[in-house]
Structures are given as structure tokens and as C-alpha cells.
Amino acid sequence: MLSHISQTTLLILQSLTIIIFFGLLLLAIQKLHSKLLLHSRLIYLTAWIGTPIHELSHSILCLLSGHKIVKVAFFKPNLSDGTLGYVTHAYNPANGLHIIGNLFIGVAPLFGGITASYLLTYFLLPNGKEFAQYLFIPWETDLSFNALLVTLKYLASIVFESYQQDHVKTVLWGYLVASISLHMVPSYADIKGGLLGAVFVILVMAVLRFMAEGLSETILATIYYYSTGMVVGFAVSASLGLAIALLSLSIQFIVWVIKSLLTPKHKAPLNDNAGLANQENEAN
């Protein structure tokens, strides 16, 4: 049975490789963005839309999983501790479906962010309908880095054409999708809450492989189909999120330069008494 559990774990990780890779990439970009702006009101520039979608995703999956929502704040920033919003929920620990639900509740912002980005692309971006159809591509066996680059290059040409048609809508689309992307990665609390559900799913899949291998293989194939299908959507989110993060870095640098130039530099008076006082303080 232990061999079935270990094999099942590896198969699930292989099926979710794309989501894990882009999840980690988005997490790194988000951390860069947050490190720059988290304790500054500038974080509101992206959090006002990204955080509500993040928390709404949690809330929807809580309801679908049968969990009770105790308290929710879709956007309640606290600069002192870095909190931007939260969902508190309760469940029955003896209910297997509730336990599995923790996993889906934890990763819900990833799929909520992709869904919101898809809708914005479809309805806001000029040529958005053409762009949106590439956000989910069932790659099956032809998934490769080169194929992804070719697709992204084609999508970039669509964005350029859209910009020529309507500057304002295209820039607004890029800003909104990037803002959502910077807040769609599950937090450490989300991941911690979903770990028990993940373990439970692995155990269930291991039992299925032991008792009905054909059914388990079908489920794993379905997971792979949908996870690879979203690779372009995650790649677009990562690209736009990185662009906003670098823009934030540039803004922070410009602000620092301006402050440095405008702040008068005070030179300490040079006298023997001051020098002796400093030496005494250091000695004490």
C-alpha cells in the first residue's frame, strides 16, 4: 500500500507540474511586488481588485465544499501586519468531503484569477475573443517550451493590434489582469490549510489505484489535461504580473532618487567635545 501511495503522489505531482511551476513563478513575482509595496499604500493600486477576487474565490469554494463561512473581509488592508483581506471558515473534521474541500479552497485563487482574467480579456480587450481562445489549450502530447513561446509571441501580436485599435482599453486590460495576477497565488496560510486535503486526496487516489486502476488513470489524465490546458493563461498572468512588479520597482527607485535630491544633507559639526562624547557613549 505504501508503494501505491508514493507512486500516486509522484503521478499527481507530474500531472500538476505546470500549475506548480507557474504557481511558484507567480509566487516569486508576488513576493517581489509585496516586498516593495506591502507596507506602503501603493499596494492598493493592485490590491483593490486582486484581493477581493482572491477572497471571493475562497468564499465560493467554501460554499461548494460545504464549509461554513464564519467571517469574510474582501478588502480590509492592514499595513502594520500586511493583511489585505481574509476568509474564516469552519468545517466538520470527520467529513471526508470537507477535508478534501480544504485543498480546493486553498488553491481557489489560482483558478479564480484565471477566470477573472479570461472574462476581462473576452469583454474588455479589443480582439479579446481571439486572444481568450488561447488561454485554454488542451496540449495533450505536444506541450513544449518552444510551442509555448510561439503561442505567447502570437498573443503579443494580438495585444499590439488591440493597442492600435484602442489604447485606453488595452492599457486598462493589461493593468487589471496584472493586478489580479499579483494577488492570485495562494498564501502560506492557504497552502497550510490545504495540506490535509492534499494528503487525503492522495490516499483516496492510492486506494483507487489499488482497487480500480483504470478509474484512477482516467482521473489523473483529466487532471493533466486541464492543468496543461491552463499553461498559456498562467504564462500570460506571470508576464503581466512581472511587468507591474518591475514598474513598481522603477517607481520606488524614482521616488527614492527624488527624496534623496530634495532632502537637505546636514553635516555634523566638527568639534573635539562632540568627538569625546561619541567615544564615551561607545565605551559605555
Side-chain angles (χ1 to χ4, degrees):
M1 189 62 186
L2 288 176
S3 63
H4 277 80
I5 293 175
S6 60
Q7 290 173 10
T8 302
T9 303
L10 288 174
L11 287 171
I12 291 176
L13 289 175
Q14 288 173 3
S15 300
L16 295 174
T17 299
I18 298 299
I19 290 181
I20 293 172
F21 171 77
F22 281 104
L24 292 174
L25 179 59
L26 281 167
L27 178 63
I29 295 171
Q30 177 181 299
K31 288 303 177 185
L32 171 63
H33 178 69
S34 297
K35 187 175 182 180
L36 293 170
L37 302 180
L38 188 57
H39 298 288
S40 165
R41 286 183 172 79
L42 288 175
I43 194 71
Y44 297 167
L45 292 174
T46 58
W48 71 270
I49 184 171
T51 300
I53 290 175
H54 182 111
E55 305 304 342
L56 179 62
S57 302
H58 284 315
S59 301
I60 292 174
L61 263 295
C62 281
L63 296 175
L64 292 177
S65 301
H67 289 218
K68 179 182 178 181
I69 296 178
V70 178
K71 194 175 182 181
V72 59
F74 291 114
F75 186 55
K76 191 176 181 180
N78 185 336
L79 293 179
S80 61
D81 63 9
T83 301
L84 296 171
Y86 57 86
V87 175
T88 305
H89 56 99
Y91 67 96
N92 180 2
N95 189 317
L97 292 178
H98 284 192
I99 296 175
I100 293 175
N102 279 324
L103 172 61
F104 296 104
I105 292 168
V107 300
L110 279 174
F111 303 102
I114 288 292
T115 301
S117 299
Y118 178 90
L119 293 174
L120 281 170
T121 300
Y122 191 89
F123 292 106
L124 179 61
L125 182 70
N127 298 330
K129 292 180 180 179
E130 182 182 0
F131 189 104
Q133 68 181 344
Y134 284 91
L135 292 182
F136 183 84
I137 302 176
W139 295 85
E140 297 181 358
T141 58
D142 58 346
L143 175 60
S144 68
F145 185 71
N146 288 335
L148 178 60
L149 286 180
V150 170
T151 303
L152 290 177
K153 184 177 179 181
Y154 177 69
L155 291 179
S157 68
I158 295 178
V159 173
F160 181 72
E161 291 175 4
S162 297
Y163 182 79
Q164 291 180 319
Q165 294 179 31
D166 193 320
H167 296 8
V168 175
K169 282 187 176 182
T170 304
V171 171
L172 180 61
W173 165 82
Y175 161 67
L176 292 176
V177 172
S179 298
I180 293 170
S181 301
L182 287 170
H183 298 273
M184 65 187 277
V185 179
S187 64
Y188 289 125
D190 298 336
I191 296 172
K192 183 180 178 181
L195 282 178
L196 182 59
V199 171
F200 199 86
V201 168
I202 291 172
L203 291 175
V204 170
M205 289 294 296
V207 172
L208 284 176
R209 291 190 71 239
F210 183 74
M211 301 178 62
E213 188 170 351
L215 177 60
S216 66
E217 295 301 327
T218 300
I219 294 174
L220 288 171
T222 303
I223 293 173
Y224 180 79
Y225 176 86
Y226 284 102
S227 64
T228 56
M230 292 185 290
V231 63
V232 175
F234 283 122
V236 170
S237 296
S239 300
L240 292 173
L242 180 60
I244 287 291
L246 292 176
L247 179 61
S248 300
L249 178 62
S250 301
I251 292 173
Q252 289 285 82
F253 178 73
I254 293 172
V255 170
W256 177 79
V257 170
I258 293 174
K259 283 185 177 180
S260 299
L261 293 175
L262 295 180
T263 303
K265 297 181 179 179
H266 299 285
K267 294 184 177 180
L270 298 176
N271 59 72
D272 294 334
N273 291 333
L276 289 172
N278 285 336
Q279 290 175 14
E280 289 172 0
N281 287 337
E282 289 172 3
N284 292 335

